[in-house]
Amino acid sequence: MLVAVPILILFPILLISISKESWYPFFFKIARVWAKIILIGMGFRYTITRDQIPEAKRSYMFIANHTSMTDIMLMLVAIKNPFVFVGKKELAKIPLFGFFYKRTCILVDRSSAKSRQAVFLQAQRRLKQGLSVCIFPEGGVPDEHVLLDVFKDGAFRLAINHNIPIVPLTFADNKKRFSYTFFSGSPGKMRAKIHNFIETTNYNVETTRDLNDTSRAIIYKQLQEFHKA
């Protein structure tokens, strides 16, 4: 209900906002309001701490650990810079939500090498338009008992190719609040942290794995600190 009702109420405005790619920043502003309605309506109290604040006129690669469907909403709330999600195509099947998802996000079929190549081309086009990109580099939600899965290289290669900073975010409580296990979760706090940016100027294709490991280490360390708190 929380997902669908705001979309239905705003449907005409949303439809207009996605009719041109150049109008995407306006759609993004509406999406942020939608995300706040869902999080607050579900009883989640989110707090966001920032080591560094993204500049308004610069493109970034936003990455975070992936633990829950609410990661999408919390990312929208945490980041003001208009960005485009790179996400799995299966979400496009969700009624109503999927209609806008497949028209505003970059969809990837992980089983298809051709699809993965198309993602790079679409992301390049969006970056040239001045937007940022968001990728969950684990590639999917890991097993409930895995604190942080291995990161795939796609986000880091794209950031290196376009010389844009990596912005790591850590989501502490999303799995606990709203996991993929039925009859689990509860209202409560959701903590997020935006870490210092990692400039990609000194990286190249050969050192992609180094950038990957550095980014993952930042998020992993913060997860451990969150869990001790």
Side-chain angles (χ1 to χ4, degrees):
M1 291 293 291
L2 284 167
V3 171
V5 171
I7 293 177
L8 287 171
I9 292 173
L10 297 169
F11 193 84
I13 298 174
L14 289 170
L15 206 58
I16 293 171
S17 69
I18 65 171
S19 60
K20 289 185 178 181
E21 280 194 350
S22 60
W23 293 349
Y24 180 82
F26 176 65
F27 171 85
F28 183 81
K29 290 181 180 179
I30 301 174
R32 295 190 74 234
V33 173
W34 169 80
K36 290 178 182 179
I37 291 172
I38 293 173
L39 294 181
I40 294 171
M42 293 178 74
F44 301 141
R45 306 183 310 275
Y46 55 84
T47 58
I48 302 163
T49 57
R50 298 171 173 85
D51 288 337
Q52 197 171 347
I53 299 174
E55 299 175 19
K57 300 295 184 181
R58 194 177 184 188
S59 295
Y60 299 90
M61 174 62 69
F62 298 106
I63 65 168
N65 54 311
H66 198 16
T67 60
S68 167
M69 179 68 78
T70 57
D71 296 342
I72 294 173
M73 292 77 176
L74 191 55
M75 182 67 78
L76 285 167
V77 170
I79 301 298
K80 295 181 179 180
N81 299 54
F83 65 81
V84 177
F85 278 110
V86 174
K88 54 186 179 182
K89 69 172 187 177
E90 290 81 4
L91 292 180
K93 297 177 183 179
I94 299 175
L96 200 57
F97 169 83
F99 176 83
F100 291 98
Y101 176 80
K102 66 184 178 183
R103 287 167 175 78
T104 57
C105 300
I106 300 172
L107 308 189
V108 59
D109 179 358
R110 298 189 189 95
S111 64
S112 168
K114 185 177 180 180
S115 174
R116 293 195 297 270
Q117 179 61 32
V119 165
F120 273 89
L121 297 176
Q122 291 181 63
Q124 287 172 354
R125 190 180 78 253
R126 302 302 257 166
L127 287 168
K128 289 177 180 178
Q129 294 170 352
L131 300 175
S132 295
V133 174
C134 173
I135 296 178
F136 296 111
E138 288 171 283
V141 177
D143 181 270
E144 291 281 334
H145 304 292
V146 175
L147 183 61
L148 187 65
D149 211 341
V150 176
F151 281 4
K152 293 177 171 56
D153 285 338
F156 308 101
R157 286 201 302 270
L158 191 61
I160 290 170
N161 288 342
H162 289 273
N163 194 24
I164 58 174
I166 296 285
V167 181
L169 288 86
T170 304
F171 297 153
D173 310 293
N174 295 16
K175 185 187 295 185
K176 181 179 179 181
R177 297 275 76 87
F178 193 78
S179 75
Y180 280 85
T181 300
F182 286 107
F183 304 113
S184 68
S186 64
K189 64 181 179 181
M190 274 187 168
R191 294 166 293 173
K193 181 169 183 178
I194 302 174
H195 299 278
N196 285 317
F197 311 158
I198 305 172
E199 296 292 343
T200 56
T201 307
N202 295 325
Y203 290 92
N204 54 44
V205 175
E206 287 72 27
T207 56
T208 298
R209 176 52 59 175
D210 294 336
L211 179 59
N212 182 328
D213 292 341
T214 298
S215 303
R216 185 181 181 279
I218 290 170
I219 295 175
Y220 186 75
K221 181 180 178 181
Q222 185 62 56
L223 282 172
Q224 290 179 313
E225 293 180 7
F226 272 139
H227 284 213
K228 292 177 183 177

